[in-house]
Amino acid sequence: MTAEDGQSAEVTMRDPRELDYIAFDLETTGLHPVGSRIIEIAAIRFHGDGREAGRFEQLIDPGGPIPPQATGVHGITDADVAGQPSIESVLPEFLRFLGPGPVAMIAHNAPFDVGFISCALGRQRLPPPPHPVLDTWPLARRRLSLPNYKLETIGRSLGLIAREAHRALADSVLLKDVFLHLLQAPPALSSEEDLFALAGALRFEPLGDLLQEAPKGFELLWLAVTRRQTVSMVYHGGSQPGVARAVTPLGIARSSGQLYLTALCHASQIEKSFRVDRIKSYRLLD
């Protein structure tokens, strides 16, 4: 995903309250799009005056177990997704819901959602939707004064929610309401250009750099990726350089000319990214 530095002719002097938007949210099995999967997508199409024009909501079978840490956040269990369609079926339907027309998409902490959709597009070799994605996180930071800018914190401060839901459709509804409040709050945003300047604009990428085969010289590491087999790895970097650590490789991607391994670090139980050229040694564990 990329930020748009200089906006093209798509960004005009139109009143942002006259535009169409799609607020969307995902629930996932983890934090990194290379190794984790989408398990729920929801979206709401609406006009700048608040009128809704359609909703999309779908649970997704990720093809494997949902980690307990993820279930602890959104409450979605393996039983909930059993028998649900795969992302290969759902993503084309979601793209049809987005449509080709001029519309700005809305997300909170947009790089997270854009990254997951982009990775899913890359796996299916699907073209990215053309819509810019505005981020309510920087928009809220520039128009509100709060102790933090989590979506739930913003929603409570504005009296929009009484409790946190952490499900894709509920968060999409909250996101729409938060965005409309930020849009209407003083000082007035007189143009689409003003809105884009405050909220930024990301673009989906197909992420063709998500590797589908072993990088030269790392065939054994790629075998561990395909098998989800734990390896003992010595990494020159991070908080413990040169110390062997147990990780489960999840995927390898190319970014800005560098190869990165995404893996579950057993010590912290957190998904992390490691530069492949800084992996000094590794061996497969039984």
Side-chain angles (χ1 to χ4, degrees), residues 3-281:
E4 297 295 301
D5 296 324
Q7 298 302 326
S8 66
E10 294 179 57
V11 182
T12 68
M13 297 301 290
R14 292 178 296 177
D15 187 326
R17 290 168 295 184
E18 298 176 357
L19 306 179
D20 291 318
Y21 302 95
I22 296 175
F24 77 106
D25 186 66
L26 311 176
E27 302 301 341
T28 66
T29 62
L31 299 177
H32 199 288
V34 173
S36 303
R37 296 294 183 267
I38 300 169
I39 56 175
E40 189 175 41
I41 300 179
I44 299 176
R45 181 185 292 271
F46 63 99
H47 192 65
D49 62 6
R51 289 178 292 119
E52 283 193 25
R55 292 189 175 194
F56 182 96
E57 182 184 20
Q58 182 62 59
L59 282 166
I60 299 164
D61 185 345
I66 300 172
Q69 304 96 314
T71 297
V73 173
H74 45 57
I76 301 174
T77 66
D78 293 335
D80 293 327
V81 298
Q84 296 294 333
S86 67
I87 189 64
E88 287 76 16
S89 299
V90 174
L91 191 55
E93 290 293 326
F94 180 61
L95 294 178
R96 279 190 281 274
F97 175 81
L98 300 183
V103 63
M105 297 179 65
I106 311 294
H108 195 75
N109 188 23
F112 177 89
D113 303 275
V114 171
F116 268 90
I117 294 292
S118 293
C119 272
L121 291 168
R123 293 186 184 102
Q124 297 185 48
R125 297 293 190 264
L126 293 173
H131 317 303
V133 183
L134 305 180
D135 193 341
T136 50
W137 187 84
L139 184 61
R141 286 187 70 244
R142 288 163 176 152
R143 294 176 76 75
L144 300 172
S145 179
L146 298 173
N148 67 68
Y149 294 90
K150 296 178 181 179
L151 182 62
E152 294 80 11
T153 301
I154 300 170
R156 286 197 301 270
S157 74
L158 299 177
L160 299 174
I161 56 170
R163 63 183 181 87
E164 301 176 14
H166 287 305
R167 288 294 298 270
L169 184 58
D171 281 352
S172 295
V173 172
L174 176 58
L175 181 60
K176 172 184 75 76
D177 293 341
V178 164
F179 174 75
L180 289 171
H181 179 93
L182 296 174
L183 193 64
Q184 297 161 4
L189 297 176
S190 60
S191 70
E192 186 178 1
E193 185 177 23
D194 291 342
L195 173 60
F196 274 53
L198 291 178
L202 299 181
R203 296 285 178 177
F204 293 101
E205 294 179 354
L207 289 190
D209 56 359
L210 185 64
L211 300 194
Q212 304 296 323
E213 59 184 10
K216 186 176 180 180
F218 290 91
E219 289 78 10
L220 196 60
L221 185 62
W222 184 257
L223 184 64
V225 170
T226 59
R227 292 179 176 177
R228 292 292 192 265
Q229 184 172 354
T230 301
V231 304
S232 176
M233 181 180 75
V234 175
Y235 185 68
H236 185 64
S239 59
Q240 294 181 307
V243 176
R245 65 183 82 194
V247 303
T248 300
L250 302 173
I252 300 177
R254 188 183 305 276
S255 178
S256 301
Q258 294 287 348
L259 291 178
Y260 290 87
L261 169 72
T262 297
L264 174 66
C265 178
H266 288 213
S268 63
Q269 287 299 301
I270 295 174
E271 294 171 18
K272 297 182 178 181
S273 291
F274 304 91
R275 272 182 52 168
V276 169
D277 65 333
R278 292 180 179 173
I279 299 174
K280 296 307 177 183
S281 65

